[in-house]
Each structure stands twice: as C-alpha cells, then as structure tokens.
Amino acid sequence: SGNVTINATAMKMTPAFQAYSSDGQTPSDASWTKVELDAVLFDTNSAFNTSTYRFTVPSGLGGKYFLNAMIAIDSQENSGINYSSVKFYKNGGSSELADSYVNWQSNPIRDFAQFLSGIFELAAGDYVELYGYLDDASGSGMDFKGASGTRIATQMGGYKIIT
C-alpha cells in the first residue's frame, strides 16, 4: 500500500571493468613488478588506463569496490618458483590494499595461478594497480602469462558495490 522508487543510477554496479595482459611480460627476479594490463574486455566508465595499467575511481563515484586479480605465473622449467606474491597498491604504492603470497621454497613448482580479491573503500581520484613478485629458484626466467586465443590469463577486474 505504498510507492517504491528505484533509483536506476544508484542501483548500477558501475564503474565496472575487466583488464588483462595481452602479451604477458617478463618480470625482474625477486622484485615487485607492476603488471602490464594493456587491454580491456569491458570498461563501463573508461576508468582503466591501458597505458599506466591502473584503475582510477571516477569523480563522484567513491565508495566500496570489489576488486579481483589473477597472475598466471610460468617459471619456464620444472621446480622454478620459490616464492610468489600478488598485491593491490593504492595511489602509487603509498598504501597496500591487500596481498596474497605463497612460499614454495621447500618444494618449488613450475606454474601457478595466483589470485587476490577483496572489498575496499576508495575515494574519487584513488587509483589501484596490480603488482607481482616472483623469486626464480634456478635463474631460468619467469613470466606473467598473457592472453592466448580466448583464454585470458593475467587479469584484474572490479566494480562498485551497491550500498
């Protein structure tokens, strides 16, 4: 026995984006490397920059955001990965939002897909970047895998949560 008004703008889970690495990259051993996400599947508000590899919260759209990422790691040989870690950095590394790490030193592996996700409070103008850290067990070389056909390996995505 009442009226319900739905605000279509407030009910959208946008901005939303999914960015990925088209060609992959070779990170330096045992150092933090910004992941080169140079392509997008979608970007509702043009908030992901494929030149700087960062998502920036658009003006007036601060709030809670769900962010997720995956780095597909290839060590180039069996038993090649000692340690791997993935982090979200906010505003150029001034604030670490979250990380995920695995220590393989007792039993190094060859390949691994490492995931990271969380919900974060972001203000308009804040930007988030994805970083990876790899410790190469043997010096064989490592890479963050890129896309192959329709398979997207290394990626980052997110959306604003309706609150």
Side-chain angles (χ1 to χ4, degrees), residues 66-88:
F66 173 79
L67 299 175
N68 66 83
M70 179 183 79
I71 297 180
I73 301 164
D74 182 0
S75 69
Q76 309 296 316
E77 72 174 2
N78 292 336
S79 302
I81 301 171
N82 267 338
Y83 179 89
S84 62
S85 187
V86 178
K87 287 186 182 183
F88 290 131

Side-chain angles (χ1 to χ4, degrees), residues 95-152:
S95 178
E96 179 185 316
L97 292 176
D99 72 352
S100 168
Y101 67 91
V102 180
N103 185 336
W104 304 100
Q105 290 180 7
S106 295
N107 191 19
I109 64 168
R110 179 184 178 110
D111 299 320
F112 184 65
Q114 190 151 1
F115 296 88
L116 177 62
S117 64
I119 297 172
F120 310 100
E121 186 74 34
L122 299 172
D126 282 345
Y127 62 91
V128 178
E129 299 165 309
L130 179 63
Y131 277 76
Y133 181 100
L134 302 174
D135 180 7
D136 185 352
S138 64
S140 61
M142 306 183 88
D143 65 11
F144 300 149
K145 300 301 282 182
S148 176
T150 59
R151 180 187 63 90
I152 296 174

Side-chain angles (χ1 to χ4, degrees), residues 28-99:
S28 296
D29 185 31
S31 66
W32 286 102
T33 303
K34 186 192 310 191
V35 179
E36 298 173 356
L37 302 168
D38 60 348
V40 294
L41 287 175
F42 64 91
D43 185 1
T44 63
N45 292 65
S46 301
F48 193 90
N49 186 319
T50 56
S51 297
T52 60
Y53 319 119
R54 68 174 62 151
F55 166 74
T56 303
V57 177
S59 178
L61 294 174
K64 291 179 175 51
Y65 280 80
F66 173 79
L67 299 175
N68 66 83
M70 179 183 79
I71 297 180
I73 301 164
D74 182 0
S75 69
Q76 309 296 316
E77 72 174 2
N78 292 336
S79 302
I81 301 171
N82 267 338
Y83 179 89
S84 62
S85 187
V86 178
K87 287 186 182 183
F88 290 131
Y89 277 120
K90 182 173 90 171
N91 299 332
S94 63
S95 178
E96 179 185 316
L97 292 176
D99 72 352

